[in-house]
Amino acid sequence: MSNKSGGIIATSYQQTINFINQLQSLTNTSAGRDKCTKILQYGCKIIEEIIERTTAPTTENKEVLVRVQRVGAGLATARRVMRFWKPFQGYIALLQFIESLLTGKRQTVVNLFDLLSKLCMAHYFLVDHLTWASREKVLSDMSLEQAQKNEFFFATLFNNNRNADYSRISVNFWFYGVIFSLIAQGLKHAEFLRNNDKSFDFKDPQQKKMIRTFIALLCDLGTAAILAKKVGIQNKAVLGLLGVVSSLITIYDTWPSQ
């Protein structure tokens, strides 16, 4: 083996080791683990659509489809567990916002939309946990009619039979949280251009990142809109693609340096 070939192999080996180390550093963070798992979860949606559209409805193909759906559902559950404490972030942000008002600190419109986004996302995570809990039959099994008739507040509020309600409410909170975040991001970009006396430029490194964040949020908006049935499109492949692209952008922007 020549020195040149040996050098190429050594370089490739080192690059592989560096990539694995960086990936490990990424997945050591909660956000990194969530986005990597999200890619797999929404990738399953794409596979589901492909199987449903391109294969014959045989028993074998149906079994494969069910397995893919189970994997996707398992990954969704894993993400819910990893996000168990996420709601607190929004409520802490509210307390900090109130404290700043009481101390006379000036709050901007961007701060307000940021807060609204965080609160919506906090409620999304909270109700999403109820979606999981009701699916696992952790909540009350009493019929809603009986709970309401007997005025059992907690049995009515936390009820396994409200799974569809929890799911609908949670994705709506996600949808509006993303809208508020998009508005905040647009205002931040405009403020950046005004404060630095710049014009819109795709080549500006700082603006590039802002644009990527905006695109990721648009993908999240599309995902939430489909799940909340705000749009007529109910295609699993489109849903999966939006989720994968959003995650890849976030991973790209948070990828650890060597």
Side-chain angles (χ1 to χ4, degrees):
M1 182 183 296
S2 67
N3 291 335
K4 183 177 181 181
S5 299
I8 293 173
I9 293 173
T11 301
S12 300
Y13 176 79
Q14 189 59 50
Q15 288 175 343
T16 303
I17 295 298
N18 289 340
F19 174 81
I20 293 172
N21 287 333
Q22 289 170 303
L23 180 61
Q24 185 178 18
S25 296
L26 177 73
T27 54
N28 281 340
T29 66
S30 58
R33 285 193 298 273
D34 180 66
K35 297 307 175 186
C36 289
T37 309
K38 183 180 176 181
I39 289 176
L40 298 176
Q41 177 195 350
Y42 281 86
C44 286
K45 295 292 183 184
I46 299 174
I47 296 172
E48 282 182 48
E49 186 72 22
I50 292 172
I51 293 173
E52 290 175 349
R53 286 182 176 271
T54 63
T55 61
T58 62
T59 301
E60 185 179 350
N61 289 335
K62 287 180 179 178
E63 287 177 356
V64 172
L65 179 60
V66 169
R67 288 175 185 173
V68 173
Q69 290 172 336
R70 284 175 179 171
V71 171
L75 291 166
T77 299
R79 293 185 64 217
R80 287 188 175 104
V81 173
M82 289 190 290
R83 300 182 311 209
F84 189 80
W85 303 108
K86 280 268 190 177
F88 288 107
Q89 294 179 359
Y91 305 134
I92 290 172
L94 175 61
L95 293 175
Q96 290 173 336
F97 187 86
I98 294 173
E99 181 186 16
S100 64
L101 291 178
L102 293 175
T103 56
K105 185 178 179 181
R106 181 175 171 271
Q107 293 296 325
T108 64
V109 177
V110 174
N111 295 142
L112 178 60
F113 278 110
D114 261 337
L115 175 64
L116 290 173
S117 175
K118 288 175 181 177
L119 285 175
C120 282
M121 294 306 292
H123 283 79
Y124 158 62
F125 292 130
L126 182 63
V127 182
D128 195 44
H129 292 332
L130 292 177
T131 304
W132 167 78
S134 61
R135 187 171 297 155
E136 297 299 321
K137 305 300 181 184
V138 175
L139 308 180
S140 173
D141 276 325
M142 184 182 295
S143 70
L144 280 172
E145 183 180 355
Q146 183 182 353
Q148 292 167 352
K149 183 179 179 180
N150 294 319
E151 297 183 351
F152 293 154
F153 176 77
F154 286 104
T156 302
L157 187 61
F158 304 107
N159 195 293
N160 292 327
N161 298 299
R162 296 193 62 190
N163 180 268
D165 290 337
Y166 297 141
S167 181
R168 175 181 52 81
I169 293 168
S170 67
V171 293
N172 272 282
F173 272 125
W174 183 19
F175 177 77
Y176 291 111
V178 176
I179 287 179
F180 288 134
S181 189
L182 276 167
I183 294 172
Q185 186 65 26
L187 291 173
K188 287 176 186 176
H189 199 158
E191 188 177 89
F192 170 81
L193 296 178
R194 184 174 60 253
N195 292 342
N196 294 277
D197 195 22
K198 289 185 175 183
S199 57
F200 188 81
D201 184 5
F202 282 104
K203 296 180 180 179
D204 185 335
Q206 288 178 287
Q207 292 191 57
K208 276 184 180 180
K209 186 171 182 179
M210 290 180 178
I211 294 167
R212 286 196 300 270
T213 301
F214 201 82
I215 293 172
L217 286 170
L218 285 175
C219 290
D220 287 339
L221 181 65
T223 304
I226 291 173
L227 292 174
K229 294 181 171 55
K230 302 289 186 184
V231 293
I233 300 173
Q234 292 297 311
N235 185 292
K236 293 178 183 177
V238 173
L239 177 67
L241 184 62
L242 290 171
V244 169
V245 170
S246 170
S247 299
L248 287 173
I249 291 173
T250 304
I251 288 174
Y252 177 83
D253 281 332
T254 57
W255 189 257
S257 58
Q258 293 185 14

